[in-house]
């Protein structure tokens, strides 16, 4: 059974196509099932009209436009059940792309042809296939919810062929290039960020979200349990995306990283364990985008191959793979949700490993 909470006291089972109303009375928990959302609301709020349901905006009528449905869905579903950064990204796609093109089409009249034409138009405008695929996923999620709530008999996005996901191209540094980067950034906040990415494979958001309470210099351990991102120019602190992203990393062999952490410890602004490890000279933690701009200026100034902090994370994976570290271990250190994710992202690296293996076997056969 796969249930999802729609609002307080109401959940939906997408396998059985049933709605559940859960109430608590006299210390006992009761659950009732209904086949439609209207029946569910009527049972939960008897005698109240649909246009005045307490604590929620009324669901748009089937005659509403697709734009009106998207507005309700973003406010009542996405904002309540997804991360702030996800909600912000969805709203940008809706505001900048969907509303101006297909927002005025009646929800009940939206067809697979409309959606396929929209995706083709976005590709012709120059958006990448991976970006347009995000648009498709948003459309499918929003329309599937409309089907579940009884506003549509079927999901028109099921008849659409989305663009294929294209493998991303990553710039990786060799160990020699990373050592040059270390020399150029030694003793600076950027230098600490560079070492955290190269030595531990941390994400940019994990670097900016690292606090002293998660760093044990005596035990030589770093705990990753919080990330810091920017949404609409404001910093957002949240838990990592998956449980496997929460991890404990030993740094006893990373002497240069330890030295930079010790410098940062001496320069910290207070004894508050919740203070961020990475701070600017004014005592304020840098924004993730600021680190990206600093990396871009550094590589341009010294005419180095362009690379981001995320590129250093990929460099970590590349070097680990070249040293024949098992994929399971690489996946764990990077905090991926599964080995399959690691394999998909770094297919080009493991293809090289296969080539090395085949070459070794060939050399043995050929004597």
């Amino acid at each position: 059974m796969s249930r999802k909470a729609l609002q307080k006291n109401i959940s939906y089972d997408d396998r059985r196509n049933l709605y559940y109303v859960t109430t608590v009375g006299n210390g006992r928990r009761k659950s009732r099932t209904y086949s439609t959302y209207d029946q569910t609301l009527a049972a939960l709020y008897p005698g109240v009209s649909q246009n005045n349901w307490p604590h929620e905006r009324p669901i748009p009528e089937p005659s509403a436009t697709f734009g009106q449905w998207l507005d309700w869905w973003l406010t009542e579903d996405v904002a309540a059940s997804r991360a702030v950064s996800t909600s912000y990204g969805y709203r940008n796609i809706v505001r900048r792309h969907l509303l101006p093109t297909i927002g005025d089409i009646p929800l009940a009249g939206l067809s697979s042809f409309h959606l396929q034409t929209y995706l083709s138009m976005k590709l012709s405008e120059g958006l990448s296939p991976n970006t347009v695929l995000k648009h498709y996923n948003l459309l499918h999620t929003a329309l599937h919810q409309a089907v579940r709530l009884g506003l549509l008999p079927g999901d028109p996005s099921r008849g659409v062929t989305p663009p294929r996901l294209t493998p991303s191209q990553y710039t990786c540094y060799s160990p020699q290039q990373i050592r040059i980067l270390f020399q150029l950034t030694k003793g600076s906040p950027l230098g600490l960020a560079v070492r955290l990415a190269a030595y531990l494979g941390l994400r940019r958001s994990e670097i900016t979200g690292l606090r002293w309470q998660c760093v044990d210099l005596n035990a030589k351990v770093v705990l990753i349990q919080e990330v810091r991102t920017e949404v609409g120019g404001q910093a957002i602190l949240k838990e990592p995306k998956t449980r496997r992203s929460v991890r404990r990393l030993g740094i006893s062999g990373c002497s240069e990283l330890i030295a930079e952490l010790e410098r940062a410890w001496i320069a910290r602004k207070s004894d508050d364990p919740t203070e961020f490890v990475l701070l600017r000279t004014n005592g304020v933690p840098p924004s993730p985008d600021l680190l990206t701009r600093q990396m871009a200026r550094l590589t341009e100034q010294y005419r180095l191959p362009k690379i981001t902090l995320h590129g250093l994370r990929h460099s970590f994976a590349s070097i680990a793979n070249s040293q024949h570290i098992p994929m399971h271990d690489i996946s764990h250190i990077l905090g991926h949700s599964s080995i399959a994710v690691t394999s998909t992202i770094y297919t080009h690296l493991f293809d090289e490993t296969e080539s090395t293996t085949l070459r070794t076997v060939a050399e043995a056969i050929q004597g």
Side-chain angles (χ1 to χ4, degrees):
M1 185 178 296
S2 178
R3 293 191 194 181
K4 177 184 177 182
L6 298 180
Q7 64 182 74
K8 185 178 180 181
N9 301 113
I10 298 180
S11 59
Y12 176 75
D13 184 336
D14 58 7
R15 293 184 183 177
R16 302 179 63 185
N17 295 323
L18 291 175
Y19 296 86
Y20 292 79
V21 172
T22 304
T23 56
V24 178
N26 298 324
R28 300 184 63 183
R29 187 182 183 91
K30 298 181 180 180
S31 182
R32 292 170 293 171
T33 61
Y34 300 90
S35 57
T36 69
Y37 191 66
D38 286 343
Q39 293 173 357
T40 306
L41 292 176
L44 189 60
Y45 307 118
V48 180
S49 66
Q50 183 181 0
N51 290 330
N52 193 29
W53 298 121
H55 311 303
E56 71 160 15
R57 297 171 60 194
I59 296 179
E61 297 290 337
S63 59
T65 65
F66 183 47
Q68 290 172 326
W69 162 249
L70 286 175
D71 178 60
W72 186 94
W73 175 71
L74 287 170
T75 303
E76 300 297 327
D77 187 351
V78 174
S81 60
R82 289 170 174 81
V84 175
S85 54
T86 301
S87 179
Y88 181 80
Y90 278 6
R91 285 191 176 278
N92 273 344
I93 292 175
V94 169
R95 176 177 56 84
R96 297 176 59 187
H97 299 280
L98 292 173
L99 291 182
T101 51
I102 56 177
D104 291 335
I105 298 176
L107 176 62
L110 194 66
S111 67
S112 300
F113 176 77
H114 290 129
L115 301 182
Q116 193 73 68
T117 302
Y118 168 82
L119 297 180
S120 299
M121 180 179 68
K122 291 302 167 182
L123 287 171
S124 67
E125 290 176 358
L127 296 186
S128 70
N130 289 359
T131 298
V132 177
L133 183 58
K134 292 180 180 178
H135 290 210
Y136 168 79
N137 291 334
L138 184 155
L139 289 165
H140 174 67
T141 305
L143 291 169
H144 184 60
Q145 179 71 325
V147 173
R148 288 164 55 179
L149 297 182
L151 299 180
L152 288 176
D155 179 0
S157 71
R158 291 189 177 277
V160 173
T161 303
R164 290 186 177 182
L165 183 68
T166 57
S168 300
Q169 299 296 319
Y170 304 112
T171 299
C172 292
Y173 267 19
S174 67
Q176 294 79 9
Q177 290 173 313
I178 291 177
R179 285 197 290 271
I180 293 173
L181 205 57
F182 283 178
Q183 292 172 1
L184 296 174
T185 58
K186 187 175 181 178
S188 69
L190 182 60
L192 177 54
V194 163
R195 284 159 177 78
L196 287 167
Y199 273 124
L200 307 182
L202 298 191
R203 301 175 176 93
R204 185 183 67 167
S205 59
E206 294 170 340
I207 294 171
T208 56
L210 186 63
R211 301 176 189 263
W212 282 116
Q213 63 187 1
C214 296
V215 177
D216 190 333
L217 288 173
N218 293 322
K220 305 295 188 290
V221 169
V222 171
L223 175 64
I224 307 303
Q225 63 178 11
E226 189 175 34
V227 298
R228 184 172 178 269
T229 60
E230 274 195 352
V231 176
Q234 293 189 346
I236 300 294
L237 291 168
K238 60 180 182 178
E239 295 180 353
K241 182 179 293 187
T242 67
R243 286 182 297 175
R244 281 175 59 94
S245 293
V246 178
R247 56 206 190 276
R248 182 183 176 93
L249 304 174
I251 60 172
S252 58
C254 311
S255 57
E256 289 196 52
L257 172 58
I258 293 172
E260 290 294 336
L261 284 170
E262 289 174 342
R263 290 190 186 97
W265 172 258
I266 295 172
R268 70 191 191 284
K269 304 302 180 182
S270 70
D271 292 328
D272 184 357
T274 64
E275 183 178 288
F276 291 102
V277 172
L278 211 64
L279 294 177
R280 301 170 64 183
T281 54
N282 60 2
V284 176
S287 69
D289 287 343
L290 176 62
L291 292 180
T292 298
R293 293 194 296 271
Q294 289 176 341
M295 283 291 295
R297 286 197 297 267
L298 180 74
T299 55
E300 182 179 1
Q301 179 181 354
Y302 292 98
R303 298 182 180 180
L304 297 172
K306 292 183 179 179
I307 194 168
T308 62
L309 287 176
H310 209 72
L312 291 177
R313 173 176 163 87
H314 295 309
S315 301
F316 167 87
S318 176
I319 295 170
N321 178 71
S322 69
Q323 299 302 307
H324 308 292
I325 305 299
M327 182 168 61
H328 176 274
D329 294 341
I330 297 175
S331 179
H332 171 73
I333 293 172
L334 292 174
H336 285 155
S337 58
S338 68
I339 296 178
V341 173
T342 311
S343 179
T344 299
I345 295 176
Y346 297 109
T347 299
H348 61 295
L349 298 183
F350 301 118
D351 284 347
E352 292 173 5
T353 300
E354 291 174 1
S355 298
T356 302
T357 302
L358 294 174
R359 184 169 60 251
T360 301
V361 172
E363 289 172 354
I365 293 174
Q366 296 166 12

